[in-house]
Amino acid sequence: VSLQMMKHAWDNYKRYAWGLNELKPISKQGHSSNLFGNIQGATIVDALDTLYIMEMKEEFKEAKEWVEQNLDFNVNAEISVFEVNIRFVGGLLSAYYLSGEEIFRKKAVELGEKLLPAFNTPTGIPWALLNIKSGIGRNWPWASGGSSILAEFGTLHLEFIHLSHLSGNPVFAEKVMNIRKVLNRLDKPEGLYPNYLNPSSGQWGQHHVSIGGLGDSFYEYLLKAWLMSGKTDEEGRKMYYDAVQAIETHLIRKSSGGLTYIAEWKGGLLEHKMGHLTCFAGGMFALGADGAPSDKTGRHIELGAEIARTCHESYDRTSLKLGPEAFRFDGGVEAIATRQNEKYYILRPEVIETYMYMWRLTHDPKYRQWGWEAVEALEKYCRVDGGYSGIRDVYSSRQSHDDVQQSFFLSETLKYLYLLFSEDDLLPFEHWVFNTEAHPLPILDKDDENKEETQK
Ligand code: DMJ
């Protein structure tokens, strides 16, 4: 089924928005997000590996030809360093590792080089935004006193390690290792990492902590950096398990109805709200269970299962059986959105991602069943003639489409669904880690390095 879904999403993108960043499936035209400046083709680059994995050979070939002929980084564009890294660099790296086609390696390294000026700050903590022509960077105007964002500068590590590996140029790895150094020098309130860090002073901004938006993939990349290093990156490992310990103590709570959730922390006060984005953490805890301090392994798997259940409840308690952007555990509600502006669903993957990890790690059939419920809801409410659309209010049965087919729907949501219903030996966890946009990157173990050394 996910293959048919991918075909529908791709064919319509190709028909109505080819070469543009994303598709507007209702108005049947291109959608351009300012996150990518005027770099074009986000959906193509994000979808390359999904096409490859699903063996959509013709489509992969057209996508590759588009990359060869049209993907151009010599543009005057202000881009989000994080978004371009996870979607474009990540997408190109995976396409290279899966297909072995040199063009993807070349483009990935070329783009990586364009991103380097973002690190020209007093601390080396990169800017959020960068003009890739002038090399001038700045931060989001809304971010606490000119801060950079934890989930943004903390989500470069996997791709940059691979860029150094593939280019032979250590500069990429040096940039991300320096980020860790800065973080390790700082005091962390209650062992937690605030979402904001000022790249000039090297001091935290507001003490807000989140495992959802603004924080999320920083934690994911600590764990995955360790896994991707063939479990040699002890620093990444320690930072991850220490952080999870602090999260468990200060952020994880159980509702009176017995649902485990991860709250947000604002200067010591809890906001009992969990974002859809936070739902990825179920899969992360389960993936990290194996390496946890020995008395903690069971607890990490259990946390993964509990978060998966809570996030499933957030879907099940809506009219459309698709989850809201954020749900709350206060004012008498549990796992329900109470604010109008938190009721939307934009084709996000995190809940299905967690089902996929839980399925692979436990083989409990309920995760496939929950994934199937999501497929049915997507087909019923998000599929339209011109592709797939997000929904403005998952509690209302009146149709209200947002008219955007997000590129991560093709790279993540559909890929994780496909993996959920495939055998475990398709992209096995022993050999691959997924970047935060679901782009698989191979584990670089010590043996590989040795082999390459002797080949040289
Ligand atoms: C994706 O771009 C990535 O998964 C990112 O980590 C968070 N936001 C979207 C999907 O929701």
Side-chain angles (χ1 to χ4, degrees), residues 340-388:
Q340 196 52 42
N341 64 0
E342 294 174 347
K343 295 184 177 172
Y344 62 89
Y345 171 68
I346 56 169
L347 304 173
R348 286 198 193 280
E350 292 77 16
V351 175
I352 292 169
E353 171 180 352
T354 278
Y355 296 162
M356 190 281 292
Y357 280 101
M358 293 310 302
W359 163 254
R360 281 237 180 146
L361 296 164
T362 69
H363 292 121
D364 183 331
K366 75 177 174 218
Y367 298 113
R368 280 192 165 169
Q369 191 191 314
W370 292 352
W372 190 251
E373 291 168 12
V375 167
E376 288 182 324
L378 285 165
E379 289 300 274
K380 201 152 163 204
Y381 302 112
C382 299
R383 186 186 179 113
V384 294
D385 262 3
Y388 288 86

Side-chain angles (χ1 to χ4, degrees), residues 216 274-284 286 304-318 321-327 335 344-360 366-375 377-378 394 408-409 412-417 420-421 436:
D216 50 8
M274 183 163 169
H276 191 289
L277 290 164
T278 320
C279 288
F280 89 97
M284 176 179 75
E306 289 179 7
I307 298 299
R309 183 161 80 94
T310 299
C311 292
H312 175 255
E313 285 300 317
S314 80
Y315 275 48
D316 206 45
R317 295 176 186 195
T318 68
K321 306 290 168 192
L322 291 166
E325 180 66 5
F327 43 94
Y344 62 89
Y345 171 68
I346 56 169
L347 304 173
R348 286 198 193 280
E350 292 77 16
V351 175
I352 292 169
E353 171 180 352
T354 278
Y355 296 162
M356 190 281 292
Y357 280 101
M358 293 310 302
W359 163 254
R360 281 237 180 146
K366 75 177 174 218
Y367 298 113
R368 280 192 165 169
Q369 191 191 314
W370 292 352
W372 190 251
E373 291 168 12
V375 167
L378 285 165
V394 289
F408 53 67
F409 182 64
E412 296 197 70
T413 313
L414 294 179
K415 187 187 289 128
Y416 286 136
L417 276 173
L420 174 61
F421 293 101
T436 196

Side-chain angles (χ1 to χ4, degrees), residues 35-36 46 82-83 86-87 151 155 213 216-218 220-221 276-277 280 325 346-350 353 406-409 411-413 416 435-438:
L35 298 172
F36 318 120
D46 234 0
F82 161 77
E83 296 287 354
I86 66 170
R87 303 194 202 206
T155 309
D216 50 8
S217 40
F218 160 70
E220 174 186 357
Y221 271 35
H276 191 289
L277 290 164
F280 89 97
E325 180 66 5
I346 56 169
L347 304 173
R348 286 198 193 280
E350 292 77 16
E353 171 180 352
Q406 304 280 345
S407 78
F408 53 67
F409 182 64
S411 73
E412 296 197 70
T413 313
Y416 286 136
N435 93 337
T436 196
E437 188 79 359

Side-chain angles (χ1 to χ4, degrees), residues 15 29 71 114 126 147 171 181 200 212 246 257 260-261 286 301 382 396:
R15 186 129 161 243
Q29 61 184 38
L71 184 61
K114 290 271 180 200
S147 290
V171 66
K181 215 158 98 211
S200 306
T260 299
Y261 61 96
I301 278 277
C382 299
S396 155

